[in-house]
Structures are given as C-alpha cells and as structure tokens.
Amino acid sequence: MSKTVGIIGLGLLGGSLAKALKAYTDYEVVGYARRQEVCDAAIQDGVVKAAWTEVEPLIENSDIVVFSLPPDTNARLFTEMAHLFRPGQVVTDVSSAKENFVRAVYDSIPKGTIFVSVHPMAGSEKGGYEVSHKNLFKGMGWIVLEDKASDVYNEEVAQELAEMGRAVGSRIEFVDIYAHDAYLAMVSHMPHLLASILTQVSGGDELGELRMKLSAGGFRDCTRVAGGLPSMWREIIYGNRHNVIEGLSQIESEIKRVKEILSQEDEGQALESYLERGREIRGKLPYLTGQIKNS
C-alpha cells in the first residue's frame, strides 16, 4: 500500500510538493490550507485526495506529516498538535530556518513518533498555491538534516525522505541539523536581507525612482529576492538572527577591505584581482549545485 503524505500549508512550497508527489511518486497526498478555496482548488486539480481547513483530520489520515508553513508558525502548531501524533508516524518540515521548529519538536514529540527534517532549496519571490508547480524542485538541492544522537531520528526514514527528493528531481545533501542554520544564513537569509538593503539604499529616497529607471539586469538580479513575502521572511531571518548577524559582520569586514582596495593608487590592479577572485568563486557555483556536471 502506498503511504499518505499530509502537507500542512499548500502555498508555494507545500503546493509544489503536493503536485510533485502526485506527478512523480505513488504517495497519496492530503492537505491543509487556512482558506477553503485553496483546499477546493487542490482537490479540483487532482493534487490531493482530500484537504481540510483543520489540521486534526490531516494528522489522523497521514503516515508522513510535512509542516510547510513559516518556521515559527510551524513550531507553534506542532506544539499545539503534538499529542495527536502516534508511534511510527513521521514528522518532517520544509522550513528554511530550523532552530525554533526543532526545539518545539524535541520538547513535545510523543514517544515513538519519528522526526527527520528536510529543506528543499527551492522557492520564488512569489507565493501561494496559484504559483506552485510540480517542477519547482527539479535540479534544486534537497537537504536531509541528520541528528543521529537523537532518539526520534531514524536513518531509514532519512533515506526515504532523500528518495522522495530524488523522485521529484532534486539533488540530495545530508547536513548536520545543528549546522544547517549557520550555512543557510550565509547563502540565503543574509543575502535576502542584503537585497532589501540594496533596494532601500538605491531606491528609497527622492532620487530612487530615477535611479531604478536607469537600472538594468544586474540590479534586478541582485534585488529579485527582496520581492519576497515580508511576513514569511521576518520569521525566517529573525528566527536565525544570531547567524545572520554573524554574516553581516563578515560583510562589514569585507566592505572595509574593499574600501581599502579602492583607496590604493595602483590604477585598479588590486581591484581587478579582487574581482577576479569573486569571478572564480562564482564560477564554481553551477558545478557545486549540479547545474553543470564535472567531466
């Protein structure tokens, strides 16, 4: 018999996961959404076999429960609903920041319930079920969080969730659960904040609209993620703020270094070397993320 995956939150990530599982696996899928019209749309699309505006029936009817709301919302909801989980049932989540949700799970999870966290490295500055799609995860990272010292972690379930990621087209990475948030602060959360900083420095005063009229692809690429949903990113960044602050401190040090380079009277030779170093590091990204295979 196929297992049933219950997805709490049918927004961009949760809705896309539901569509991908329906399209590429034999999992049955059920869903929860706050609004009845989202439940109705997912049922009408054939993405889920059932959907509710209450969480309790989803937990009752699922073998694997995926928390796909913002991190702090996930944590509060799990704490409220923890007593409903049963032995052998699997809890996972797709949160971008893990600390608060992991703490809530470890504080409240019933004996015998299994918890393995995952993080699909996919998304968009847009949100909602209406922009979700089955191929969101293709070619993207799918991080499986390991905590082998925990009584609620299960290696077989970790492998099953890794296979789920492979089935929807992702490349798999295994990362220690306590290292995850520091890594993501540097490559996701702090860059999002920098995009917002750049938009406000460039476009937030009386000359901002004129400057932005003169911008081209570079400015658009650098600031794209600043268009993300502020309420969601507030939870992600604030929940991981100690790691983001560390990242910003490193940025401050690097800005000081660049200012010193620009102050040199060397016709820009140090600057060119600095830019070449950045180019070399950036050039590795397609290989490291699997977009280009090493020969």
Side-chain angles (χ1 to χ4, degrees):
M1 294 178 61
S2 63
K3 293 182 179 179
T4 297
V5 176
I7 301 175
I8 298 176
L10 295 174
L12 173 64
L13 271 180
S16 295
L17 181 58
K19 292 175 180 179
L21 292 177
K22 179 66 176 178
Y24 302 120
T25 77
D26 62 355
Y27 287 107
E28 296 280 3
V29 183
V30 296
Y32 158 86
R34 183 175 56 85
R35 294 183 289 125
Q36 184 64 49
E37 56 265 34
V38 174
C39 295
D40 294 341
I43 293 170
Q44 185 174 350
D45 291 344
V47 173
V48 298
K49 67 176 181 180
W52 303 275
T53 57
E54 301 291 336
V55 174
E56 291 87 345
L58 179 142
I59 296 174
E60 181 181 349
N61 289 280
S62 300
D63 301 298
I64 301 171
V65 177
V66 182
F67 282 77
S68 187
L69 298 169
D72 291 349
T73 307
N74 282 338
R76 289 191 297 270
L77 185 60
F78 181 84
T79 301
E80 293 171 7
M81 299 294 169
H83 65 282
L84 297 176
F85 288 93
R86 57 189 182 269
Q89 197 169 20
V90 174
V91 174
T92 189
D93 72 297
V94 294
S95 302
S96 179
K98 299 297 185 182
E99 182 178 339
N100 291 347
F101 185 68
V102 169
R103 185 187 305 116
V105 170
Y106 284 1
D107 285 347
S108 305
I109 192 168
K111 184 176 178 60
T113 303
I114 298 164
F115 172 60
V116 179
S117 183
V118 301
H119 181 194
M121 290 296 294
S124 168
E125 71 277 15
K126 299 178 181 179
Y129 178 80
E130 62 276 8
V131 297
S132 64
H133 59 91
K134 67 181 182 180
N135 292 324
L136 182 69
F137 308 102
K138 282 192 175 295
M140 309 302 290
W142 179 283
I143 304 172
V144 180
L145 285 298
E146 296 181 304
D147 190 3
K148 295 180 180 180
S150 170
D151 292 338
V152 301
Y153 178 84
N154 182 286
E155 182 63 35
E156 290 183 4
V157 169
Q159 292 298 327
E160 179 179 1
L161 294 178
E163 288 303 320
M164 181 186 290
R166 289 189 183 96
V168 300
S170 298
R171 55 181 177 81
I172 308 304
E173 302 286 347
F174 289 88
V175 172
D176 181 83
I177 198 166
Y178 297 106
H180 172 273
D181 283 8
Y183 293 153
L184 269 293
M186 296 301 294
V187 297
S188 177
H189 309 158
M190 186 265 291
H192 186 100
L193 197 53
L194 288 178
S196 185
I197 291 170
L198 183 57
T199 58
Q200 294 183 59
V201 169
S202 301
D205 59 16
E206 65 276 6
L207 296 176
E209 290 189 4
L210 174 57
R211 291 195 200 101
M212 289 194 291
K213 281 183 181 179
L214 303 177
S215 69
F219 184 78
R220 290 194 298 273
D221 290 346
C222 290
T223 60
R224 177 185 61 82
V225 294
L229 186 65
S231 60
M232 180 185 73
W233 278 98
R234 173 188 61 81
E235 286 198 20
I236 293 171
I237 294 172
Y238 194 76
N240 195 25
R241 63 190 181 276
H242 54 287
N243 287 311
V244 173
I245 288 170
E246 175 60 28
L248 290 172
S249 295
Q250 293 185 45
I251 290 292
E252 289 172 342
S253 297
E254 199 68 14
I255 289 173
K256 181 179 179 181
R257 180 184 174 195
V258 171
K259 289 169 73 174
E260 291 171 353
I261 288 173
L262 291 174
S263 298
Q264 296 179 24
E265 298 295 338
D266 65 349
E267 298 185 351
Q269 293 303 309
L271 175 62
E272 183 174 342
S273 296
Y274 184 86
L275 294 173
E276 179 60 31
R277 168 88 171 136
R279 181 173 180 267
E280 289 174 359
I281 295 171
R282 177 60 176 79
K284 298 175 183 178
L285 188 62
Y287 296 95
L288 294 172
T289 57
Q291 297 170 37
I292 298 176
K293 302 296 184 184
N294 285 303
S295 56

